[in-house]
Amino acid sequence: MSKREYERIPVSQQAHVVSKPKDLTAIGGMVSVQINEKKITVPLGTTILEACQLNQIHIPTLCHHPDLCIAGVCRVCVVEVEKMRTLQTACSFPITSPIKINTSTQMVRKARRHIIDLLLSEHYGECYSCFRNGNCELQNLAKEFGVDNYTFGHVKTQRYEVDSSSAAVIRDMNKCVLCKRCVRTCIDLQEVGVLEAVKRGHETHVGTFLDKPLAEVICINCGQCINRCPTSALRANDPSDEIWAAIDNPKKHVVIQTAPSPRAAIGEEFGKEAGKSFTGELNTALRRIGFDRVFDTNFTADLTIMEEGTELLTRLKKAIVEKDESVKLPQFTSCSPGWVKYIEHFYPEFLDYLSSAKSPQQMFGALIKTFYAQEAKIDPADIVTVALMPCAAKKFECNRPEMCDSGFKDVDYGLTTREMAKMIREAGIYLPEMPKSHFDDPFGDASGAGLIFGATGGVMEAALRTAYELVTGREVPFENLVIEPCRGFEGVKQASVKLENCVEQYKFLEGVDLKFVVAHGTANAKIVMEMLKKGELNDVHFVEIMACPGGCLGGGGQPIPTSNVIREKRAQAIYEEEASLPIRKSHENPHVNYVYEKFLTDGPCGKLSHKLLHTHYVKRGKYIS
Amino acid sequence: MLVLEKNALSEEIENLVGEFGKDRSALLQILQAIQGKHKYISDFAQQEVARMMDIHPVEVNSIVSFYAFLYSEPKGRYIVRLCQTISCDMSGKEEVAEAVQRELGISFGQTTKDKRITLEFTNCLGMCDQGPAMLVNEKVYTKLDPETAVNILSEIK
Amino acid sequence: MIKTETLSKKRSGPVLFSEYKQGEGVKKALELGRENILFELKSSGLKGRGGAGFPTATKWMLTAASNSDKKFIVCNADEGEPGTFKDRVLLLEYPELVFDGMIIAGYTIGAKNGILYLRGEYEYMLKSLEDYLELLRMDNLLGENIFAGKDFTFDITIRLGSGAYVCGEETALIESLEGYRGEPRNRPPYPVNTGFLGHPTVVNNVETLASVPHILIKGGDWFRTHGTDKSTGSKLFSISGDCKKPGVYELPWGTSINELLNLVEAKNTKAVQVGGASGICLPKSQFNRVLGYEDAATGGSIMIFNESRNMLKILKNFMEFFVEESCGQCTPCRIGNIKLLEGVERIEKDDFTFSYINNLKELGRTMQAASKCGLGQSSPNSFISILDNFKDEIFGAKRKGEKNV
């Protein structure tokens, strides 16, 4: 078993930091500094901000984000460094000599106030009519520094038109404070490159190519920019009003499916520490809100494993037994709609490598409006399907014209974790105190394999548990079914598992080293695609890619803020929940087998499942017309 | 834009990338060359530059919009930039501006219908001792008065 | 030796505008060797002529000390400060000084490449400068083994700007060279450590580099005989505005404003703007101040306003300039400048309170302290100094409580 790591280097600002020495014990490895009378020792190159954070000294920040490279543009974190003529930004100033720092002088406080006042003067609108009210970094700063009277005026008209062209992301530049976190997210973190600062001086704003609407440029809808926006300049396209209307309409049968990642994160929206799933509580809350049925997306995640796994084994057979050279390997996962749009734009020539299986969300929609409608004897025209997802791109996905295989729009609305929390609050429910309840039949509970889809590597782990067992007749050779090489947040992971003593049907795989690659975040996807281009993946069989850092649990629809620490806690919540489940392999899910027995009778990748559960892709390319 | 024109432009940009290199540090030179020849950098050209240099189109757009001498909208064959900074302002820039506007029938920021001349204000040209000054493309003219300015513009047909 | 210099040199001055033969400084530099060059430079007390006044010897030493295999010397010819045009004169009439200065710098710090960043507005000089470089190559002043100096290889390329004042800031200039928006970087790290493409880079003003050959030939001590203790040597002053003889003058540091006004035959002078739009505006009562780093510091721009001028209009012109030329990345500069301009407009419209004006001055002080680069740090200078020094003209009647003014 091998594990490879890749380090991604952000494009901009990369060279302009002082790197920390490898050996801290060497002479000059550590520097002593004085911060507000306190003497401390830090590794050379530590920024003032880092030094302060380690010593419980609070420094306000705005453009700084733990996921992103340093910008030093908002100037809110300025501090006084003795012997320097001007104030210095704590976030960017590397400590390389024994300096004296003062973090709260009169000058510092005045400067911070002025800066916040300036930002407020150009920040259109009022806090009480803003959806980020109570969770806005600018508002927090204004409160912290007592900036409450618009010393330099307040803009009364909108400078920019709100761009709501995209199904997923809405941009309102009137709220923008030009911290450029979205720019750094889009260009450096995700390497999609849709947003950048355009023009200059007072005309500077974050724009798209030629300021075109977001729907017309190569945005992949990952929504990572939303997660990092300190204000309400970026938000997801919220369908909750339409959902309320459906709930309020007695004729409509409103069904919701919930994905594991929102369940592992929604507690944060209610003031709880990250790291605990509220699955049972959420089920009760959703019923109280008025959803007629509550289903578990993990069920279709199990189904995805059956479909995608079968597809992989078919491809392998074609390639190995039939020596069919047109078969594309490795097979790439297709459950992340951000990733799907990324490859459609950036690597359209490789679309055949994508599994044709739909994402769990879309599979569920198609099943609800066909199989479930039949079983429950409800006219599918009266069914409204809602999907609670950690994702902004799911909103785009459910609106793709090809996603109507049930004869109706398979999934009517994609809802983010944040929007769900808002609906729950609006219904007067305090989620953490809800009693627990189960999902509804006929889909019932799902396996743990479906649950771990939420973390990067989860699809791979789930697929391996099933594929290995189908091929060899034995469980994967990992203690407690935990396939360690699939876990963790390294950007690109590569490992393999040997197939030995295969069952009769899969004898052609005897002795094959099943190789797989896992990547998360489109910047890492780019690395993988470049490897593919160079032929470096020729011996790899299966690749999992998630568009968002950390996988779905770090999705663009998740609670704000986000950081690596928070993502790790969410992953921990998911893995803990899964370890406690009785069924942990997709193919052992009795409900899945029930669906194949009763409805998709020609089995995985059969005719009906091809109609309902598989899809095709669009060669979009990069050109913006 | 016609396919033939697009192809020609692509080839031209390819040559420029060949000449100046694919490294990001060559970007400004490439854009300046396109600007110099076509008087603007079309959206197609911006995307071609991005494609060939392996950067994002919006990054090219960002650069073009940052620098005052690069444009993403078509401009006249002659870009006339009249200095608006203080010394030129004090030595009669206003009168010169009025005269050329009247003569060309356009205001600053506009281009004549025949796409011959674009009028623009610019900041300090470094000719403060000889103001008012203006640039016609890269050529500099100083100590202007309304009459000389108009004469210069009529000569560049 | 090159015999291409056709421009007859009518100018004269103690240092830069004195006799000089192409290559002389380079020859001397090779004789002296790196350490002696740095010694002479240090004893000369030469400071950056762009306005910031950082000791040149220190900059060079820091870069020379780095053992990086690739280093750069960049000549900052992005002369954009309103009222500054001395570099234009140097580049047009004394290119030999500038280029020799670059060659010497390259030799001293161990750089093989020199880049002249020429502002886009000066594109008309490009051809002649390129031709000049070609001649230098023919005379082995550029290229390999310059003047038979072993292992000394150096060449100069010229890169054009594209109309952005902020690119005169050294790190913005480097960003621009690297193909990015001309947005200043966070400092530290400084260019002497992490400059162009991450390599140690010296960025020097045209005039600074042009001073070096003379210093090497005549010695640092000789240079010190000009100017004052803290401001050694001479300075080129770009003089414009209300006077009979505007132009570039070479004068020793320590010259008073009064002396200067006499020299250029300025009459009825009301105000002198020292240091360009980002400098300070002095009233008559301060014309006895002397030009130098210790008193009225300047990159060379002197603008003269006579009694007929409206100070508020002048201030408005400056603020409009900064609103347009701010790179827009940091908050104090991007929004601060527009607020100061708004303030000027409200004074114009007589729609203000004194507490509002005081708030704006305080804001100006924040901008001076908290902006990311020199642009935002100095743009409030004229706002504060004009409102302070010309109160009577601007607020006169208001301050005395008169109505209907």
Side-chain angles (χ1 to χ4, degrees), chain A residues 199-220:
Chain A
K199 298 217 173 160
R200 74 169 185 222
H202 192 241
E203 301 286 305
T204 313
H205 61 275
V206 175
T208 56
F209 182 67
L210 296 172
D211 277 326
K212 286 176 185 290
L214 209 50
E216 290 174 25
V217 296
I218 49 174
C219 173
I220 63 164

Side-chain angles (χ1 to χ4, degrees), chain A residues 251-255 365-385 405-412:
Chain A
K251 274 196 195 149
K252 294 289 179 193
H253 184 75
V254 189
V255 174
L367 276 186
I368 288 170
K369 292 200 176 174
T370 52
F371 173 66
Y372 170 74
Q374 253 174 50
E375 292 252 310
K377 298 188 178 63
I378 302 169
D379 181 356
D382 288 333
I383 298 179
V384 174
T385 48
D405 291 324
S406 63
F408 302 88
K409 196 178 166 195
D410 293 340
V411 172
D412 291 290

Side-chain angles (χ1 to χ4, degrees), chain A residues 368-439:
Chain A
I368 288 170
K369 292 200 176 174
T370 52
F371 173 66
Y372 170 74
Q374 253 174 50
E375 292 252 310
K377 298 188 178 63
I378 302 169
D379 181 356
D382 288 333
I383 298 179
V384 174
T385 48
V386 180
L388 169 59
M389 292 288 148
C391 186
K394 289 284 177 193
K395 293 168 187 287
F396 173 83
E397 187 187 28
C398 75
N399 282 307
R400 290 175 79 116
E402 59 270 26
M403 293 297 180
C404 294
D405 291 324
S406 63
F408 302 88
K409 196 178 166 195
D410 293 340
V411 172
D412 291 290
Y413 305 110
L415 198 64
T416 64
T417 314
R418 298 186 295 268
E419 292 149 6
M420 187 80 257
K422 189 194 79 180
M423 287 182 76
I424 293 172
R425 279 194 294 266
E426 201 175 346
I429 295 166
Y430 181 62
L431 181 76
E433 284 176 3
M434 282 285 106
K436 293 183 185 185
S437 61
H438 280 281
F439 289 101

Side-chain angles (χ1 to χ4, degrees), chain A residues 167-240:
Chain A
V169 182
I170 294 179
R171 292 175 69 238
D172 180 0
M173 287 303 102
N174 299 296
K175 303 275 190 190
C176 177
V177 292
L178 272 166
C179 67
K180 293 202 207 166
R181 284 194 200 168
C182 56
V183 171
R184 283 174 283 154
T185 302
C186 200
I187 293 187
D188 291 340
L189 188 76
Q190 289 290 70
E191 291 198 26
V192 175
V194 162
L195 301 175
E196 172 59 297
V198 291
K199 298 217 173 160
R200 74 169 185 222
H202 192 241
E203 301 286 305
T204 313
H205 61 275
V206 175
T208 56
F209 182 67
L210 296 172
D211 277 326
K212 286 176 185 290
L214 209 50
E216 290 174 25
V217 296
I218 49 174
C219 173
I220 63 164
N221 304 307
C222 69
Q224 287 300 313
C225 52
I226 302 176
N227 283 17
R228 287 170 188 78
C229 181
T231 70
S232 57
L234 289 157
R235 64 191 146 102
N237 206 336
D238 182 359
S240 53

